[in-house]
Amino acid sequence: MIKSGILLFLCLFSLQTSQAQQKFTYDNKVYNTEIKTVQLYNTQKEQSIPVIALGTSEKLSFSFDDLRGGSKNYWYTVEHCTYDWKSSNLSALDYLDGMNEDRIIDYAYSSKTLQKFTHYSLTFPNDQLKPKLSGNYLLKVYENGEMDRPVISQRFYITDQQVNIQTEVVPSNEVSLRFSNQKVNVTVLHKNPIQNPYQDIKMVLMQNGNPLTAKLNTKPTYVKPGSLIYNDLASNDFKGSNEFRKFDFRSLRYKGEHVQDIFTDSTNNAVLFTDQNGTALKYTQQIDEDGAFFIRNQDNIDNDTDSDYGRIQFALNAVAPGSNGDIYVVGRFNNYTLTEENKLSYVASKKKYYASIYLKQGLYDYQYVWKDNTTGNIDHTVLEGSFFETENNYQAFVYYRRPGSRWDELIGYSLFNNIQK
């Protein structure tokens, strides 16, 4: 009995120690499985990329649900980061006005839902916490004011627009990829002199707000008076991919788009129609939201507190692209991350892949990706197809580290679309 008690004590102590040693990563991440539906966007447009302009009235809206219910003591802070998402190692006094951290005090309990939860929300910058430098930032949420109890981390951007960004999207220069890839050319126009653009300027391109697609440009192809040109033949080639798949889970009484069945047992369930491999020979136009999701419900009034949760049953009829890998379902709803929750399992008797994900009522875009476990490579097109005609949003970020400076400024940002005229 004594030995059993000692072993139990050691196990509990080891568990507490591992929890205490948990640290934030500089990425979009949820550290607790009971935290769902994390949203962060510019208040001017729902589900937009979380970018605001320095010194303006623009705000970010941040929210999440805690399925444990009740009220928890959540705190938050922000940290300035480098262009490649590492700590800038600046003192909070260097980049923050007001306090270094604050408590999240706006919350509301769920109503008329089978799944009980508490909805937390925050709008910032605010009077308590206001960044004063441009650049990359990481929002950190943690319990009881203890930084070693992380709950959520989310990336966001503050711009100080000092340059103009001109863009064009053209077919790939590689002949074999002209019908599948989109090449992005960028010209950065600046009025103030930049002494050493090859060293001081970094330019990052991203497709549909997906961090996994980010391409870093460390050196311009050409430097001209007042402009930096990025149009190297072999760079900034993006797979066009395909339009996102989508489903409508706004109602628990009526079957929305791509929903085959709805039923309730111990929880709500929505069974989607079986998806097919998307690698068709020709492109088919379809309106999507470029991977975004929108919390909505047609059964009650308030989207935040009256929208219930349900298990979404995904099914994919496809052949595995390789012998050693896994298929995942991703979108903005899970920050395109690959976790056990959104990994599909193969059921041999039905010759299909299945996944069940607990999601809040709303409209969702999603796609299937393949991860090769041997190489670690992630392929967003092998199960979806890739076409030059696919409509995509792109984001361009221009960073500048002034000579002698200790941080990277975000001096330019552009959101553009490949089918814009």
Side-chain angles (χ1 to χ4, degrees):
M1 289 293 293
I2 295 177
K3 288 184 178 179
S4 299
I6 294 174
L7 287 173
L8 177 62
F9 171 78
L10 290 174
C11 289
L12 291 173
F13 179 78
S14 175
L15 177 62
Q16 291 172 352
T17 303
S18 64
Q19 290 176 337
Q21 292 177 343
Q22 193 171 14
K23 294 182 179 180
F24 281 98
T25 61
Y26 292 87
D27 206 345
N28 297 322
K29 185 172 181 179
V30 177
Y31 301 82
N32 188 320
T33 56
E34 298 300 315
I35 302 298
K36 300 291 184 182
T37 319
V38 178
Q39 301 181 77
L40 179 62
Y41 53 83
N42 188 312
T43 56
Q44 294 179 354
K45 184 179 180 181
E46 185 180 0
Q47 290 303 328
S48 58
I49 304 299
V51 179
I52 58 174
L54 185 68
T56 68
S57 60
E58 292 185 16
K59 304 283 186 182
L60 290 172
S61 175
F62 171 68
S63 64
F64 63 93
D65 293 339
D66 187 340
L67 302 191
R68 295 172 295 183
S71 60
K72 298 292 189 297
N73 188 12
Y74 288 123
W75 289 72
Y76 73 97
T77 188
V78 300
E79 182 178 357
H80 194 278
C81 300
T82 60
Y83 73 90
D84 56 351
W85 294 104
K86 298 175 184 176
S87 175
S88 295
N89 293 318
L90 297 175
S91 165
L93 295 174
D94 293 327
Y95 59 85
L96 284 180
D97 276 335
M99 299 184 294
N100 294 349
E101 60 180 353
D102 194 25
R103 186 179 174 186
I104 300 177
I105 58 175
D106 291 332
Y107 62 89
Y109 299 120
S110 59
S111 174
K112 310 166 193 165
T113 59
L114 183 61
Q115 170 67 60
K116 301 304 180 184
F117 61 88
T118 306
H119 179 77
Y120 293 84
S121 58
L122 170 70
T123 301
F124 71 98
N126 48 47
D127 293 337
Q128 285 73 37
L129 195 148
K130 185 181 298 182
K132 58 185 180 181
L133 298 180
S134 67
N136 289 350
Y137 281 86
L138 190 74
L139 170 66
K140 302 177 180 179
V141 178
Y142 42 97
E143 278 197 72
N144 299 327
E146 301 173 20
M147 291 286 287
D148 57 1
R149 297 184 65 183
V151 178
I152 301 167
S153 57
Q154 290 284 289
R155 295 175 174 183
F156 68 96
Y157 310 83
I158 297 183
T159 67
D160 182 11
Q161 204 76 12
Q162 301 174 30
V163 299
N164 291 320
I165 302 175
Q166 295 180 346
T167 60
E168 66 170 352
V169 182
V170 299
S172 172
N173 289 313
E174 188 74 35
V175 175
S176 61
L177 302 177
R178 292 182 69 83
F179 295 103
S180 63
N181 285 27
Q182 299 169 349
K183 185 183 185 312
V184 181
N185 294 326
V186 178
T187 299
V188 177
L189 303 175
H190 59 92
K191 294 181 179 179
N192 299 321
I194 298 175
Q195 295 182 9
N196 188 351
Y198 292 103
Q199 180 175 332
D200 301 336
I201 296 291
K202 303 289 188 297
M203 197 265 290
V204 174
L205 287 172
M206 195 159 56
Q207 186 187 71
N208 296 325
N210 182 354
L212 296 177
T213 67
K215 295 184 183 293
L216 171 63
N217 290 252
T218 57
K219 296 178 181 179
T221 312
Y222 302 104
V223 176
K224 296 183 179 181
S227 66
L228 308 175
I229 301 172
Y230 298 84
N231 65 356
D232 186 83
L233 295 177
S235 65
N236 300 328
D237 228 34
F238 290 84
K239 291 182 178 180
S241 191
N242 208 340
E243 307 296 352
F244 281 83
R245 305 173 194 258
K246 57 184 177 180
F247 66 90
D248 181 347
F249 181 50
R250 287 178 294 176
S251 177
L252 294 168
R253 295 179 293 175
Y254 307 104
K255 290 180 283 189
E257 181 181 3
H258 202 54
V259 176
Q260 183 178 20
D261 192 20
I262 297 174
F263 65 93
T264 301
D265 42 32
S266 59
T267 186
N268 300 307
N269 296 270
V271 180
L272 304 186
F273 283 100
T274 299
D275 290 311
Q276 305 298 322
N277 190 314
T279 55
L281 295 177
K282 293 184 179 181
Y283 168 75
T284 302
Q285 187 177 18
Q286 175 178 297
I287 297 175
D288 67 0
E289 296 294 339
D290 297 311
F293 69 102
F294 299 89
I295 300 304
R296 298 284 190 276
N297 80 80
Q298 296 176 329
D299 305 324
N300 294 300
I301 299 172
D302 190 281
N303 289 321
D304 294 329
T305 57
D306 295 352
S307 297
D308 211 338
Y309 277 80
R311 290 230 158 260
I312 310 301
Q313 313 287 341
F314 294 86
L316 174 65
N317 183 6
V319 177
S323 58
N324 183 25
D326 292 299
I327 300 173
Y328 297 82
V329 56
V330 299
R332 283 281 295 279
F333 69 90
N334 62 5
N335 287 313
Y336 299 97
T337 54
L338 310 187
T339 65
E340 286 298 315
E341 182 186 23
N342 62 318
K343 183 168 72 174
L344 277 70
S345 300
Y346 184 69
V347 178
S349 60
K350 297 184 178 180
K351 297 182 179 180
K352 295 178 184 177
Y353 288 87
Y354 292 90
S356 175
I357 304 179
Y358 205 46
L359 297 175
K360 199 173 185 178
Q361 281 182 270
L363 298 160
Y364 288 82
D365 275 12
Y366 67 100
Q367 64 180 191
Y368 295 105
V369 302
W370 168 260
K371 181 181 179 182
D372 188 310
N373 293 330
T374 302
T375 63
N377 293 334
I378 300 170
D379 194 324
H380 289 77
T381 63
V382 68
L383 294 165
E384 298 292 353
S386 187
F387 305 93
F388 171 76
E389 297 91 342
T390 303
E391 179 266 332
N392 288 302
N393 281 327
Y394 288 93
Q395 297 79 35
F397 303 87
V398 179
Y399 300 91
Y400 178 38
R401 177 166 292 203
R402 299 177 187 276
S405 177
R406 295 180 294 129
W407 66 88
D408 299 318
E409 302 175 50
L410 181 52
I411 61 170
Y413 169 72
S414 177
L415 172 65
F416 57 100
N417 189 285
N418 64 299
I419 63 172
Q420 288 173 339
K421 296 181 181 179

